[in-house]
């Protein structure tokens, strides 16, 4: 878990956004949520939008002020889409992740990621408490992100930079070994003979057709199970043609 990162929401007006933030955090292996004077919390809308991230909501800390929420944090990032009149050290979400992603939660400082109100963001006196501005590059003509979407982007960058991606387990990918060169050559001979048997292959065009078919199947990198299926289709076609 990226437990040294604390997501801090300031005066969130819609409880559904708190639930959506909790869900976004749990998706990316984060569970440290802090709320500063939320308008409504706890609330059924927050629970509904959390969609199973109830534990993040249940353990969320509530604070009367931002300084209280940041009291134990050594580094503070304030998310802002607006330019400020005073220059401020700033990092994008990806730069933040690459620089500060936790590799050993015990040794890392407590880092706060502060997100402001849905309609107006963080005020200047709140940004005064931050060491860096946190930016999410997006369309300059429409740069205001939904609160939960902004949190999701930042948490995702931290998740990836922290090396916490899990390998896909969809389907049977990798169960069967790739077909060998010898197996592929036997398949091509079988394919060519079958096309000749059914009258599809003409002698004067056989070389160019086979060359194109080789390119098609070589691109797919067939495994042995897939090759067995194709050989079975060819055998069926040959048997059916001889009846």
């Amino acid at each position: 878990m990226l437990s040294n990162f604390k997501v801090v929401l300031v005066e969130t007006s819609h409880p559904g956004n708190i639930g959506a933030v909790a869900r976004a955090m749990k998706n990316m292996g984060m569970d440290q949520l802090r709320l500063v004077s939320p308008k409504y919390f706890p609330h059924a809308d927050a629970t509904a939008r959390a969609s199973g991230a109830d534990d993040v909501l249940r353990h969320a800390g509530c604070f009367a002020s931002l300084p209280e929420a940041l009291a134990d944090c050594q580094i503070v990032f304030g998310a802002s889409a607006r330019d400020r009149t005073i220059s401020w050290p700033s990092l994008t979400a990806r730069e933040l992740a690459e620089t500060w992603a936790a590799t050993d939660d015990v040794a890392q400082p407590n880092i706060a990621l502060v997100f402001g109100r849905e309609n107006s963001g963080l005020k200047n006196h709140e940004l005064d408490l931050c060491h860096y501005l946190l930016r999410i590059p997006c369309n300059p003509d429409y740069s205001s992100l939904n609160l939960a979407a902004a949190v999701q982007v930042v948490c995702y960058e931290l998740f990836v930079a922290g090396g916490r991606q899990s390998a896909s387990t969809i389907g049977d990918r990798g169960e069967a070994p790739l077909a060998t060169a010898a197996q592929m050559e036997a398949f091509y001979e079988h394919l060519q003979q079958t096309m000749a048997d059914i009258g599809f292959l003409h002698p004067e065009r056989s070389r160019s057709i086979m060359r194109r078919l080789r390119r098609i199947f070589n691109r797919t990198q067939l495994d042995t199970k897939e090759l067995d299926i194709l050989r079975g289709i060819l055998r069926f076609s040959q048997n059916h043609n001889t009846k």
Side-chain angles (χ1 to χ4, degrees):
M1 302 288 282
L2 294 163
S3 58
N4 60 312
F5 286 91
K6 325 296 180 184
V7 174
V8 182
L9 307 183
V10 177
E11 294 185 1
T12 309
S13 61
H14 195 296
N17 285 330
I18 297 174
V21 165
R23 180 179 182 177
M25 291 172 61
K26 189 164 184 175
N27 285 154
M28 299 300 132
M30 299 175 66
D31 63 358
Q32 299 293 309
L33 176 61
R34 299 182 177 186
L35 307 173
V36 177
S37 299
K39 189 171 183 179
Y40 304 107
F41 187 81
H43 195 279
D45 286 351
T47 303
R49 291 285 300 278
S51 298
D54 304 59
D55 53 331
V56 178
L57 292 181
R58 188 166 56 251
H59 295 110
C62 286
F63 299 84
S65 68
L66 183 56
E68 290 179 44
L70 301 178
D72 63 341
C73 295
Q74 288 92 16
I75 302 171
V76 181
F77 290 86
S80 178
R82 293 186 288 119
D83 291 328
R84 307 285 170 161
T85 55
I86 299 176
S87 61
W88 220 284
S90 64
L91 290 175
T92 65
R94 183 158 299 178
E95 289 169 339
L96 156 70
E98 291 171 348
T99 304
W100 298 101
T103 55
D104 180 358
D105 289 344
V106 175
Q108 293 292 327
N110 282 335
I111 299 176
L113 308 171
V114 184
F115 297 84
R117 303 153 188 82
E118 293 96 329
N119 60 347
S120 58
L122 293 172
K123 298 178 180 179
N124 286 333
H125 74 273
E126 292 163 340
L127 280 173
D128 288 340
L129 302 174
C130 303
H131 299 96
Y132 300 90
L133 289 184
L134 175 58
R135 297 192 177 279
I136 300 173
C138 52
N139 179 3
D141 296 326
Y142 192 65
S143 60
S144 178
L145 285 171
N146 169 268
L147 176 60
V151 173
Q152 182 79 80
V153 170
V154 176
C155 292
Y156 170 77
E157 292 290 356
L158 289 166
F159 181 80
V160 172
R164 287 163 168 79
Q165 306 98 306
S166 56
S168 173
T169 57
I170 298 174
D172 60 355
R173 185 182 306 163
E175 287 186 3
L178 292 177
T180 65
Q183 289 170 325
M184 290 303 299
E185 285 305 313
F187 165 69
Y188 292 134
E189 291 176 10
H190 194 174
L191 178 60
Q192 184 170 1
Q193 185 59 54
T194 302
M195 290 192 298
D197 291 345
I198 64 176
F200 178 81
L201 201 62
H202 300 287
E204 66 275 9
R205 297 178 56 198
S206 63
R207 183 173 297 179
S208 64
I209 289 176
M210 285 307 302
R211 183 173 292 120
R212 289 181 180 275
L213 288 171
R214 279 176 175 269
R215 282 171 21 199
I216 291 172
F217 287 111
N218 284 344
R219 283 199 301 268
T220 63
Q221 294 186 310
L222 296 172
D223 63 35
T224 53
K225 183 181 293 186
E226 293 164 338
L227 197 62
D228 286 344
I229 294 171
L230 292 174
R231 296 291 297 270
I233 294 172
L234 295 178
R235 284 191 292 271
F236 180 85
S237 299
Q238 288 177 311
N239 294 337
H240 184 75
N241 189 59
T242 56
K243 290 181 181 179

